[in-house]
């Protein structure tokens, strides 16, 4: 949830959580204040590719419905901070707090949690309570923005292109910083920010002309042959790593897809068959991007590496269209300030 603070050219933002980093980069922004607060549940993960439905349902039961005191206290904080509006990246808490405070709210999503949880109601009936509650909360937003690829396209105030953080450095600078020799191919492997083991390290040695970058594979920077292992949070900005790569392999998720889309690199995507959003994202890659599908078992046992020549032979796509972040930022500034 993000609270838009201030009404003059020295705009300040009070940031809570579920923060879309693209919003930090608007040219009018002068400063941010961060406040750490749990605003959402999402899913409890067993691993990067597997969710724990029982633990997720238990967490939802503890978290929803929101306690009246929590919403009241947050609304008071928003008013005390002189916030002008509340922007919610699918985090429902901000919508209720903004209404309680008499402020306008903006919902930004490519899916909402009620739509995602609907998939599991037959397996676990307890999800129905959360679905009904969240559906009502999301409907209260004053403005509704959807970002491509939207999972459930609706009649909303604005539909944008994919929303992605912009790279900051040229690919050559990033490669030099990583110690990658010139003329080597670079493949990035990412599991969406969730640490994951890499049992296929030995197989990567069979591709000596390729350097592999794997964020989240180690607690600190490590060079293991032709594999560069980085911690989840490193000195290298994630969009810069994507943009410096010749191809990307990883779990398909919105942020990864959007950054890969604007970088224009081929995407070897791992689909989660039990995850409703995944099907929509896979269709978008198939229709609008270069890439190929990788099964979870192919990733786990390393057989996906045999697809590398095919993936690296796909041409890079140079895009000139606007970033959805800019479209959303313009809409928000025009409507709320």
């Amino acid at each position: 949830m993000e609270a838009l603070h201030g009404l003059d050219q020295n705009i300040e933002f009070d940031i809570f959580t579920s923060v879309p980093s693209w919003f930090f980069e608007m040219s009018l922004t002068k400063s941010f204040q961060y406040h750490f607060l749990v605003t959402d549940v999402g899913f409890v993960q067993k691993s990067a590719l597997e969710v724990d439905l029982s633990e997720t349902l238990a967490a939802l039961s503890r978290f929803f419905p929101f306690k009246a005191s929590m919403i009241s206290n947050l609304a008071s904080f928003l008013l005390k901070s002189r916030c002008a509006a509340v922007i919610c990246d699918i985090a429902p808490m901000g919508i209720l707090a903004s209404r309680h405070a008499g402020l306008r709210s903006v919902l930004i999503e490519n899916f909402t949690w009620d739509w995602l949880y609907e998939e599991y109601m037959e397996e676990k009936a307890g999800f129905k309570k959360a679905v009904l509650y969240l559906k009502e909360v999301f409907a209260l937003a004053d403005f509704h923005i959807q970002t491509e690829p939207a999972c459930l396209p609706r009649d909303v105030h604005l539909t944008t292109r994919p929303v992605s953080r912009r790279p900051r450095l040229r690919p050559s600078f990033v490669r030099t910083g990583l110690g990658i020799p010139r003329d080597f191919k670079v493949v990035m492997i990412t599991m969406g920010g969730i640490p994951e083991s890499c049992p296929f390290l030995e197989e990567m040695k069979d591709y000596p002309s390729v350097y592999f970058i794997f964020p989240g594979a180690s607690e600190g920077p490590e060079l293991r042959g032709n594999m560069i292992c980085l911690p989840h949070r490193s000195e290298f900005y994630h969009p810069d790593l994507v943009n410096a790569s010749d191809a990307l392999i990883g779990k398909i998720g919105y942020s990864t897809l959007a950054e890969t889309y604007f970088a224009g690199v081929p995407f070897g995507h791992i689909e989660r068959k039990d995850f409703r959003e995944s099907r929509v994202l896979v269709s978008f890659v198939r229709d609008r991007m270069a890439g190929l599908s990788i099964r979870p078992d192919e990733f786990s046992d390393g057989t996906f590496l045999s697809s590398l020549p095919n993936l690296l032979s796909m041409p890079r796509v140079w895009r000139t269209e606007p970033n959805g972040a800019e479209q959303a930022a313009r809409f928000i500034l025009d409507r709320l300030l």
Side-chain angles (χ1 to χ4, degrees):
M1 185 188 80
E2 299 77 48
L4 187 57
H5 180 100
L7 293 173
D8 55 22
Q9 291 300 304
N10 294 316
I11 298 173
E12 294 183 353
F13 292 87
D14 285 1
I15 308 297
F16 291 86
T17 56
S18 301
V19 181
S21 299
W22 55 263
F23 208 76
F24 299 170
E25 301 175 10
M26 291 192 305
S27 60
L28 289 178
T29 303
K30 302 300 181 184
S31 62
F32 297 91
Q33 297 178 25
Y34 295 86
H35 310 275
F36 294 93
L37 177 69
V38 178
T39 64
D40 213 342
V41 173
F43 280 99
V44 177
Q45 300 270 157
K46 291 181 179 179
S47 68
L49 296 173
E50 187 179 8
V51 300
D52 189 322
L53 291 182
S54 296
E55 287 299 318
T56 298
L57 187 54
L60 288 171
S61 299
R62 291 191 299 268
F63 204 64
F64 298 126
F66 293 117
K67 291 181 176 62
S69 59
M70 178 186 294
I71 298 302
S72 176
N73 290 339
L74 183 54
S76 296
F77 181 82
L78 294 174
L79 292 173
K80 183 180 179 181
S81 301
R82 297 177 57 248
C83 292
V86 178
I87 303 167
C88 304
D89 175 19
I90 70 169
M93 182 184 289
I95 297 173
L96 291 182
S98 66
R99 286 181 70 85
H100 194 88
L103 302 173
R104 290 174 295 176
S105 60
V106 182
L107 170 64
I108 303 178
E109 52 92 5
N110 83 303
F111 70 80
T112 53
W113 289 114
D114 56 295
W115 176 85
L116 206 55
Y117 294 147
E118 281 177 349
E119 177 102 326
Y120 308 104
M121 287 196 303
E122 287 189 15
E123 184 175 348
K124 292 189 178 294
F127 276 102
K128 184 176 181 179
K129 183 178 179 180
V131 167
L132 295 175
Y133 175 72
L134 290 170
K135 195 182 294 287
E136 289 182 358
V137 174
F138 286 127
L140 297 174
D142 294 294
F143 297 102
H144 191 167
I145 297 174
Q146 284 194 317
T147 66
E148 292 183 334
C151 293
L152 184 62
R154 305 178 187 182
D155 183 15
V156 296
H157 294 90
L158 175 69
T159 299
T160 75
R161 298 291 192 182
V163 166
S164 169
R165 297 174 294 178
R166 290 185 290 247
R168 297 169 178 167
L169 299 175
R170 279 187 275 177
S172 58
F173 290 172
V174 178
R175 292 189 181 207
T176 298
L178 290 166
I180 299 174
R182 183 180 288 187
D183 298 329
F184 276 67
K185 292 290 186 180
V186 177
V187 174
M188 182 171 170
I189 301 175
T190 175
M191 299 307 287
I194 298 177
E196 189 78 3
S197 62
C198 42
F200 38 78
L201 179 59
E202 286 301 316
E203 287 84 349
M204 288 182 170
K205 295 178 181 178
D206 296 333
Y207 299 86
S209 62
V210 178
Y211 268 76
F212 297 89
I213 305 173
F214 200 159
S218 62
E219 295 184 0
E222 294 182 26
L223 179 61
R224 306 176 187 172
N226 59 337
M227 185 170 179
I228 300 170
C229 298
L230 299 173
H232 172 47
R233 300 189 185 281
S234 75
E235 62 181 290
F236 294 96
Y237 187 48
H238 195 272
D240 285 337
L241 294 174
V242 175
N243 197 44
S245 301
D246 296 293
L248 187 140
I249 293 173
K251 181 183 75 172
I252 193 164
Y254 188 88
S255 295
T256 302
L257 178 147
E259 290 174 7
T260 307
Y261 177 80
F262 281 109
V265 299
F267 188 6
H269 50 279
I270 305 166
E271 180 180 0
R272 298 162 64 182
K273 297 291 185 183
D274 63 342
F275 203 67
R276 202 176 189 185
E277 182 200 22
S278 187
R279 299 165 211 156
V280 177
L281 302 185
V282 167
S283 295
F284 185 86
V285 174
R286 183 178 59 244
D287 297 340
R288 305 268 294 274
M289 300 170 65
L292 52 85
S293 179
I294 296 172
R295 298 194 312 270
D297 61 291
E298 291 176 322
F299 180 79
S300 297
D301 64 19
T303 55
F304 75 93
L305 290 168
S306 63
S307 302
L308 272 184
N310 185 18
L311 191 66
L312 289 169
S313 69
M314 296 179 182
R316 189 167 190 151
V317 179
W318 299 102
R319 303 191 187 279
T320 58
E321 65 194 80
N323 191 309
E326 298 161 4
Q327 295 175 293
R330 281 195 297 269
F331 175 90
I332 291 168
L333 292 175
D334 289 344
R335 296 297 183 94
L336 298 182
L337 297 183

